[in-house]
Amino acid sequence: MLEVIDKGSCSDAHPVPLLFVHGGWHGAWCWDEHFLDFFADAGYRAVAMSLRGHGTSPTDKPLPRVSIADYIDDIRSVADDLGGSPVLIGHSLGGYTIQRYLEDRTAPAAVLVGSLPPSGVLGAALRVWRRRPWMTVHSFNDPTLVRFLRTSALAREYLFCADTPEVVVQSCWHRAGPESIRAAMTEPMFRRVDTERVRTPMLVLGAVHDGFVSVRAVRATARAYRTEPEFFDMGHNMMLEPGWADVARRIHTWLQSRDLVSHAV
């Protein structure tokens, strides 16, 4: 059984549930810090899942062998339990996985938060390589990729703004876990999202100080889905930094502008 944190309930104003999908090294806990309560209080059913091998979700094979297809199956399983068509909100690798999921399935709407672009992880990998080439070599030899975040200073550099309170960085760093190198690096390095097959309306959000996903990558994602990107003065973990409420309010406003009632009928 996958770990699912489920808060709030659907309302007449917001009849479609929201499904939050975390990125690499994280779990459902990253959405439970702020976002689930925010959206539950706003009248939504807000659900965060932990992909297999993350949080308390089990995996039936070694984590380094877990694939994007496995993560897609996890999203499909939870989405089906929610009635089949929740709004999907994904961060980082979770955003990329949602895009891949939507090649074959539909959703009433999707939100990409600091997401890897349709082209995959190569751009982010090159950014890290240029800054810390030797660390990158050693990290790629680690099938769980934990060396990327082996210190809280690295967690701050990649995941947060320079002025994020240390207590926030430390909390995330202590909770971050291993990641599948196959799902996070190998497959997204060579497999693009077939964006022509994705028909779901997208809100594309990025962070100016993101240590992984560049502003250029966020713009490329928005172009691929024929929309305009929106940026926040934040780091990669937009759901945990002090400005998280601005991000949540923007998602809420955008969802209100969509005709989601008809999707619940």
Side-chain angles (χ1 to χ4, degrees):
M1 293 290 292
L2 295 172
E3 178 187 23
V4 172
I5 304 175
D6 191 341
K7 293 188 175 182
S9 58
C10 295
S11 62
D12 290 341
H14 306 299
V16 179
L18 312 180
L19 176 56
F20 294 84
V21 183
H22 64 84
W25 301 292
H26 291 57
W29 55 266
C30 71
W31 299 110
D32 193 30
E33 192 77 15
H34 303 295
F35 269 47
L36 295 189
D37 286 330
F38 174 93
F39 284 98
D41 291 344
Y44 296 88
R45 183 181 180 188
V47 179
M49 62 179 294
S50 289
L51 299 166
R52 67 184 71 187
H54 299 74
T56 62
S57 292
T59 175
D60 59 359
K61 57 186 172 184
L63 184 62
R65 291 174 53 196
V66 170
S67 67
I68 288 292
D70 292 322
Y71 289 166
I72 291 172
D73 284 343
D74 292 342
I75 295 173
R76 182 181 297 111
S77 174
V78 178
D80 287 348
D81 287 343
L82 294 174
S85 295
V87 170
L88 300 171
I89 302 171
H91 175 246
S92 194
L93 179 62
Y96 173 83
T97 307
I98 282 174
Q99 294 173 67
R100 290 278 303 276
Y101 169 90
L102 290 172
E103 289 177 340
D104 300 308
R105 302 256 320 229
T106 60
V111 182
L112 303 180
V113 182
S115 173
L116 290 177
S119 58
V121 76
L122 179 59
L126 288 174
R127 292 186 80 202
V128 175
W129 174 275
R130 293 187 189 105
R131 290 200 303 269
R132 298 178 181 274
W134 286 111
M135 191 204 79
T136 304
V137 171
H138 291 305
S139 296
F140 285 164
N141 288 327
D142 173 9
T144 61
L145 297 176
V146 292
R147 290 184 183 179
F148 273 109
L149 302 180
R150 72 181 187 277
T151 68
S152 61
L154 287 172
R156 176 182 291 279
E157 179 178 340
Y158 293 128
L159 303 178
F160 294 97
C161 283
D163 58 355
T164 299
E166 182 64 18
V167 65
V168 176
V169 178
Q170 288 286 337
S171 176
C172 176
W173 180 59
H174 283 296
R175 300 189 74 172
E179 184 53 69
S180 166
I181 192 169
R182 176 180 177 182
M185 295 300 302
T186 308
E187 292 183 4
M189 190 76 74
F190 302 104
R191 170 65 157 85
R192 296 179 61 92
V193 177
D194 186 351
T195 56
E196 293 303 315
R197 293 164 57 187
V198 179
R199 300 301 183 193
T200 299
M202 296 275 193
L203 175 64
V204 178
L205 305 179
V208 174
H209 306 293
D210 195 320
F212 275 122
V213 181
S214 68
V215 167
R216 181 179 179 181
V218 176
R219 293 190 189 280
T221 300
R223 271 197 312 274
Y225 297 113
R226 298 165 292 281
T227 188
E228 292 295 325
E230 300 180 33
F231 292 95
F232 294 81
D233 190 23
M234 306 175 75
H236 186 62
N237 274 6
M238 299 164 66
M239 64 290 193
L240 293 173
E241 287 208 349
W244 69 266
D246 293 331
V247 180
R249 281 191 289 266
R250 178 62 190 116
I251 295 171
H252 175 43
T253 300
W254 185 76
L255 291 176
Q256 286 183 306
S257 72
R258 311 299 308 174
D259 181 18
L260 301 183
V261 175
S262 61
H263 290 274
V265 177

